Amino acid sequence: MTTKAPERDLGSMLVELTRLIRRRSHAALEPYGLSPAQGRAFRVISHHRDADEELRLSGLAERLRIAPRSTTEVVDRLETLGLVRRSPSPSDRRATVLTLTDKGEQLRRTLDRRRVESTEDLFASLSATERATLGRLLRKALDAADAG
């Protein structure tokens, strides 16, 4: 006699799915010599490129929730790899801002494409309508979390 597996709650399933996506994301960084922490910093810097405000080391540390000294070490590695540039701030000469280099922009596009490709199989069993519904529901939940 087979026993039916207990139902998992939404939170547990989302955590499981998130872990799987995170493992795949970490594996995608390896060929580029990036650790998960460096990948997170790179992602924050690359997503910040369209913002009106400058991204400084202190802002990156806040977003990553790590000590400024650790942020400096992470940015040092990204700079050594030629992905990030430190530049004087146009609005405050004492401050340094972080931007992607051309090589960093190219890697951002590559990683974005690989992220989409590496998760397509996770949703392949869903119809286009189901994927659209899932996307809409996740956006709604995230928007509510951001508002609260």
Side-chain angles (χ1 to χ4, degrees):
M1 180 174 139
T2 60
T3 337
K4 185 178 175 185
E7 288 292 318
R8 293 181 288 178
D9 63 280
L10 285 175
S12 297
M13 289 186 288
L14 282 172
V15 166
E16 187 177 335
L17 187 60
T18 300
R19 285 183 180 148
L20 177 59
I21 292 169
R22 183 174 291 132
R23 279 195 303 273
R24 290 179 179 196
S25 176
H26 292 175
L29 296 172
E30 286 177 19
Y32 304 101
L34 294 173
S35 70
Q38 293 159 354
R40 283 182 53 228
F42 180 77
R43 203 168 21 260
V44 168
I45 296 166
S46 67
H47 288 123
H48 196 274
R49 72 189 187 289
D50 297 327
D52 292 335
E53 69 200 49
E54 301 169 338
L55 180 62
R56 299 176 182 178
L57 279 170
S58 59
L60 180 60
E62 287 174 25
R63 284 174 180 79
L64 296 175
R65 295 185 175 103
I66 61 175
R69 186 189 71 210
S70 298
T71 306
T72 299
E73 293 171 7
V74 168
V75 171
D76 285 347
R77 175 67 177 154
L78 295 174
E79 196 172 37
T80 298
L81 291 170
L83 303 173
V84 171
R85 157 186 331 107
R86 289 180 174 111
S87 309
S89 166
S91 62
D92 180 355
R93 290 186 303 186
R94 297 168 297 166
T96 300
V97 296
L98 303 170
T99 56
L100 293 184
T101 62
D102 290 342
K103 182 178 178 182
E105 279 291 342
Q106 183 178 0
L107 180 59
R108 179 197 57 80
R109 286 189 298 273
T110 298
L111 290 175
D112 285 350
R113 190 172 48 255
R114 287 192 66 192
R115 184 186 66 251
V116 170
E117 291 167 356
S118 75
T119 58
E120 281 181 345
D121 67 312
L122 296 175
F123 305 106
S125 64
L126 303 178
S127 70
T129 301
E130 290 170 327
R131 285 192 303 272
T133 300
L134 177 60
R136 190 176 64 258
L137 293 172
L138 290 173
R139 272 189 298 283
K140 184 175 182 178
L142 288 170
D143 289 346
D146 287 343

